[in-house]
Amino acid sequence: MAKSLQEQLLAAGLVDKKKAKKSAKAMKKQEHLQRTGQDNELDVAKQKAEAARQKKAEQDRELNLQREAAAQQKAIQAQIKQLIDTNAISSERGDIKYQFVGSDNKIKQLYVDQAIWDRLSRGQLAIIAQGKSHAVIPVPVTEKIRQRDEKIFIYIAENQSAELEEDDPYAAYQIPDDLMW
């Protein structure tokens, strides 16, 4: 007569008597649960645990995505700050007031020297909001900044040599070059 698998494993020395008894007891318990219908309760508990695990994994994924987005935004802001700091044109003896309309539609003023004022008024330089202050930067740098963040406030003076309107009543009057408002 053929020996059972358990007897063969015991004879080969792969399993000891304690493990064999433990596995036999677990099998009898499982058979009893199936006969009495309590096995379904274990399956329901397993399903609930699996659903909770999947929900936790999904929440962790979303949290990681939010953290990555925040880190990406922080890196972009650092790049913008570096572009502004390295390309900012400072005016040590700024005695001329340059006025412009700020992001809140209020007139802001910035003290600059004559060379910077001329370049600002011709649209060769731009003014960018840097926190609560403003900085003067070259126009090509503004394109690099706008590629990173389109919402940042950048003021570039419009070219005054634009064509005059046909029905402009003040077209005959010349605006002086040295007019400061």
Side-chain angles (χ1 to χ4, degrees):
M1 179 181 246
K3 294 182 180 180
S4 70
L5 178 62
Q6 185 176 5
E7 291 173 354
Q8 290 175 9
L9 291 173
L10 281 171
L14 296 174
V15 177
D16 60 354
K17 287 186 179 183
K18 280 186 177 181
K19 287 185 181 178
K21 282 185 181 182
K22 189 175 183 181
S23 83
K25 187 176 179 182
M27 287 183 62
K28 284 183 182 180
K29 185 176 182 181
Q30 183 66 27
E31 288 175 5
H32 175 70
L33 289 175
Q34 285 179 349
R35 277 185 277 133
T36 60
Q38 295 175 353
D39 188 36
N40 293 338
E41 293 174 8
L42 291 176
D43 289 340
V44 170
K46 285 180 183 178
Q47 288 174 352
K48 286 182 181 178
E50 180 65 22
R53 187 189 64 77
Q54 288 178 351
K55 184 178 178 183
K56 174 79 169 125
E58 182 64 31
Q59 288 175 344
D60 289 346
R61 267 188 240 110
E62 287 184 25
L63 184 60
N64 283 341
L65 287 175
Q66 290 174 354
R67 286 180 182 161
E68 287 175 12
Q72 181 74 15
Q73 186 62 29
K74 191 174 180 180
I76 288 172
Q77 293 303 321
Q79 289 174 0
I80 290 173
K81 184 177 181 335
Q82 182 180 12
L83 279 171
I84 293 172
D85 290 344
T86 56
N87 294 300
I89 299 172
S90 63
S91 178
E92 287 86 28
R93 297 182 305 167
D95 54 350
I96 300 173
K97 184 177 10 176
Y98 185 82
Q99 296 180 349
F100 61 97
V101 178
S103 60
D104 53 357
N105 289 332
K106 292 183 179 178
I107 296 178
K108 304 282 184 177
Q109 56 192 10
L110 189 65
Y111 286 93
V112 294
D113 58 18
Q114 184 64 43
I116 293 174
W117 188 89
D118 289 339
R119 291 179 67 194
L120 277 170
S121 63
R122 282 187 258 139
Q124 295 173 345
L125 294 177
I127 298 174
I128 188 165
Q130 185 181 25
K132 293 185 178 184
S133 63
H134 294 85
V136 178
I137 58 173
V139 173
V141 176
T142 62
E143 294 305 318
K144 293 178 184 177
I145 292 173
R146 282 206 173 129
Q147 288 173 355
R148 289 164 175 77
D149 187 5
E150 294 180 6
K151 298 174 189 169
I152 198 162
F153 172 74
I154 298 174
Y155 172 80
I156 301 173
E158 297 173 3
N159 194 354
Q160 298 298 330
S161 64
E163 295 180 18
L164 299 174
E165 294 181 23
E166 293 177 18
D167 58 347
D168 186 9
Y170 299 104
Y173 299 102
Q174 203 60 356
I175 299 173
D177 291 337
D178 60 347
L179 177 67
M180 308 268 266
W181 53 284

mmCIF file with all atom_site columns, all heavy atoms in Angstrom, residues 4 34 66 143 146-147 174 178:
data_model
loop_
_atom_site.group_PDB
_atom_site.id
_atom_site.type_symbol
_atom_site.label_atom_id
_atom_site.label_alt_id
_atom_site.label_comp_id
_atom_site.label_asym_id
_atom_site.label_entity_id
_atom_site.label_seq_id
_atom_site.pdbx_PDB_ins_code
_atom_site.Cartn_x
_atom_site.Cartn_y
_atom_site.Cartn_z
_atom_site.occupancy
_atom_site.B_iso_or_equiv
_atom_site.pdbx_formal_charge
_atom_site.auth_seq_id
_atom_site.auth_comp_id
_atom_site.auth_asym_id
_atom_site.auth_atom_id
_atom_site.pdbx_PDB_model_num
ATOM 1  N N   . SER A 1 4   ? 1.096   7.961   2.305   1.00 0.00 ? 4   SER A N   1
ATOM 2  C CA  . SER A 1 4   ? 0.597   9.307   2.000   1.00 0.00 ? 4   SER A CA  1
ATOM 3  C C   . SER A 1 4   ? 1.790   10.261  1.868   1.00 0.00 ? 4   SER A C   1
ATOM 4  O O   . SER A 1 4   ? 2.909   9.948   2.264   1.00 0.00 ? 4   SER A O   1
ATOM 5  C CB  . SER A 1 4   ? -0.347  9.779   3.100   1.00 0.00 ? 4   SER A CB  1
ATOM 6  O OG  . SER A 1 4   ? 0.375   10.023  4.275   1.00 0.00 ? 4   SER A OG  1
ATOM 7  N N   . GLN A 1 34  ? -15.644 25.261  6.488   1.00 0.00 ? 34  GLN A N   1
ATOM 8  C CA  . GLN A 1 34  ? -16.389 25.139  5.231   1.00 0.00 ? 34  GLN A CA  1
ATOM 9  C C   . GLN A 1 34  ? -17.710 24.423  5.462   1.00 0.00 ? 34  GLN A C   1
ATOM 10 O O   . GLN A 1 34  ? -18.730 24.793  4.887   1.00 0.00 ? 34  GLN A O   1
ATOM 11 C CB  . GLN A 1 34  ? -15.551 24.402  4.187   1.00 0.00 ? 34  GLN A CB  1
ATOM 12 C CG  . GLN A 1 34  ? -14.443 25.236  3.595   1.00 0.00 ? 34  GLN A CG  1
ATOM 13 C CD  . GLN A 1 34  ? -13.615 24.466  2.578   1.00 0.00 ? 34  GLN A CD  1
ATOM 14 O OE1 . GLN A 1 34  ? -13.739 23.253  2.455   1.00 0.00 ? 34  GLN A OE1 1
ATOM 15 N NE2 . GLN A 1 34  ? -12.768 25.193  1.865   1.00 0.00 ? 34  GLN A NE2 1
ATOM 16 N N   . GLN A 1 66  ? 0.989   64.733  -5.353  1.00 0.00 ? 66  GLN A N   1
ATOM 17 C CA  . GLN A 1 66  ? 0.902   66.102  -4.841  1.00 0.00 ? 66  GLN A CA  1
ATOM 18 C C   . GLN A 1 66  ? 2.277   66.586  -4.376  1.00 0.00 ? 66  GLN A C   1
ATOM 19 O O   . GLN A 1 66  ? 2.653   67.733  -4.629  1.00 0.00 ? 66  GLN A O   1
ATOM 20 C CB  . GLN A 1 66  ? -0.090  66.183  -3.687  1.00 0.00 ? 66  GLN A CB  1
ATOM 21 C CG  . GLN A 1 66  ? -1.527  66.016  -4.113  1.00 0.00 ? 66  GLN A CG  1
ATOM 22 C CD  . GLN A 1 66  ? -2.480  65.962  -2.926  1.00 0.00 ? 66  GLN A CD  1
ATOM 23 O OE1 . GLN A 1 66  ? -2.060  65.946  -1.777  1.00 0.00 ? 66  GLN A OE1 1
ATOM 24 N NE2 . GLN A 1 66  ? -3.762  65.915  -3.208  1.00 0.00 ? 66  GLN A NE2 1
ATOM 25 N N   . GLU A 1 143 ? 11.179  86.136  -21.593 1.00 0.00 ? 143 GLU A N   1
ATOM 26 C CA  . GLU A 1 143 ? 10.638  84.983  -22.326 1.00 0.00 ? 143 GLU A CA  1
ATOM 27 C C   . GLU A 1 143 ? 10.981  83.682  -21.605 1.00 0.00 ? 143 GLU A C   1
ATOM 28 O O   . GLU A 1 143 ? 10.152  82.771  -21.527 1.00 0.00 ? 143 GLU A O   1
ATOM 29 C CB  . GLU A 1 143 ? 11.172  84.960  -23.761 1.00 0.00 ? 143 GLU A CB  1
ATOM 30 C CG  . GLU A 1 143 ? 10.685  86.118  -24.602 1.00 0.00 ? 143 GLU A CG  1
ATOM 31 C CD  . GLU A 1 143 ? 9.162   86.235  -24.637 1.00 0.00 ? 143 GLU A CD  1
ATOM 32 O OE1 . GLU A 1 143 ? 8.483   85.199  -24.763 1.00 0.00 ? 143 GLU A OE1 1
ATOM 33 O OE2 . GLU A 1 143 ? 8.663   87.366  -24.520 1.00 0.00 ? 143 GLU A OE2 1
ATOM 34 N N   . ARG A 1 146 ? 8.660   83.532  -18.641 1.00 0.00 ? 146 ARG A N   1
ATOM 35 C CA  . ARG A 1 146 ? 7.275   83.214  -19.030 1.00 0.00 ? 146 ARG A CA  1
ATOM 36 C C   . ARG A 1 146 ? 7.115   81.759  -19.438 1.00 0.00 ? 146 ARG A C   1
ATOM 37 O O   . ARG A 1 146 ? 6.043   81.198  -19.314 1.00 0.00 ? 146 ARG A O   1
ATOM 38 C CB  . ARG A 1 146 ? 6.823   84.128  -20.162 1.00 0.00 ? 146 ARG A CB  1
ATOM 39 C CG  . ARG A 1 146 ? 6.459   85.490  -19.641 1.00 0.00 ? 146 ARG A CG  1
ATOM 40 C CD  . ARG A 1 146 ? 5.463   86.178  -20.544 1.00 0.00 ? 146 ARG A CD  1
ATOM 41 N NE  . ARG A 1 146 ? 5.025   87.399  -19.905 1.00 0.00 ? 146 ARG A NE  1
ATOM 42 C CZ  . ARG A 1 146 ? 5.022   88.576  -20.488 1.00 0.00 ? 146 ARG A CZ  1
ATOM 43 N NH1 . ARG A 1 146 ? 5.429   88.700  -21.726 1.00 0.00 ? 146 ARG A NH1 1
ATOM 44 N NH2 . ARG A 1 146 ? 4.599   89.637  -19.848 1.00 0.00 ? 146 ARG A NH2 1
ATOM 45 N N   . GLN A 1 147 ? 8.171   81.137  -19.959 1.00 0.00 ? 147 GLN A N   1
ATOM 46 C CA  . GLN A 1 147 ? 8.104   79.712  -20.280 1.00 0.00 ? 147 GLN A CA  1
ATOM 47 C C   . GLN A 1 147 ? 7.917   78.891  -19.008 1.00 0.00 ? 147 GLN A C   1
ATOM 48 O O   . GLN A 1 147 ? 7.264   77.859  -19.035 1.00 0.00 ? 147 GLN A O   1
ATOM 49 C CB  . GLN A 1 147 ? 9.381   79.253  -20.989 1.00 0.00 ? 147 GLN A CB  1
ATOM 50 C CG  . GLN A 1 147 ? 9.512   79.751  -22.401 1.00 0.00 ? 147 GLN A CG  1
ATOM 51 C CD  . GLN A 1 147 ? 10.866  79.398  -22.995 1.00 0.00 ? 147 GLN A CD  1
ATOM 52 O OE1 . GLN A 1 147 ? 11.739  78.853  -22.327 1.00 0.00 ? 147 GLN A OE1 1
ATOM 53 N NE2 . GLN A 1 147 ? 11.037  79.714  -24.265 1.00 0.00 ? 147 GLN A NE2 1
ATOM 54 N N   . GLN A 1 174 ? 2.590   117.195 -30.891 1.00 0.00 ? 174 GLN A N   1
ATOM 55 C CA  . GLN A 1 174 ? 3.760   116.341 -30.673 1.00 0.00 ? 174 GLN A CA  1
ATOM 56 C C   . GLN A 1 174 ? 3.994   116.184 -29.173 1.00 0.00 ? 174 GLN A C   1
ATOM 57 O O   . GLN A 1 174 ? 3.910   117.157 -28.408 1.00 0.00 ? 174 GLN A O   1
ATOM 58 C CB  . GLN A 1 174 ? 4.973   117.002 -31.341 1.00 0.00 ? 174 GLN A CB  1
ATOM 59 C CG  . GLN A 1 174 ? 6.099   116.128 -31.697 1.00 0.00 ? 174 GLN A CG  1
ATOM 60 C CD  . GLN A 1 174 ? 5.767   115.000 -32.683 1.00 0.00 ? 174 GLN A CD  1
ATOM 61 O OE1 . GLN A 1 174 ? 4.638   114.791 -33.077 1.00 0.00 ? 174 GLN A OE1 1
ATOM 62 N NE2 . GLN A 1 174 ? 6.783   114.302 -33.056 1.00 0.00 ? 174 GLN A NE2 1
ATOM 63 N N   . ASP A 1 178 ? 11.075  114.527 -23.361 1.00 0.00 ? 178 ASP A N   1
ATOM 64 C CA  . ASP A 1 178 ? 11.492  114.602 -21.980 1.00 0.00 ? 178 ASP A CA  1
ATOM 65 C C   . ASP A 1 178 ? 10.323  114.700 -20.997 1.00 0.00 ? 178 ASP A C   1
ATOM 66 O O   . ASP A 1 178 ? 10.508  115.008 -19.824 1.00 0.00 ? 178 ASP A O   1
ATOM 67 C CB  . ASP A 1 178 ? 12.442  115.780 -21.766 1.00 0.00 ? 178 ASP A CB  1
ATOM 68 C CG  . ASP A 1 178 ? 11.778  117.101 -22.122 1.00 0.00 ? 178 ASP A CG  1
ATOM 69 O OD1 . ASP A 1 178 ? 10.701  117.086 -22.761 1.00 0.00 ? 178 ASP A OD1 1
ATOM 70 O OD2 . ASP A 1 178 ? 12.341  118.149 -21.776 1.00 0.00 ? 178 ASP A OD2 1
#
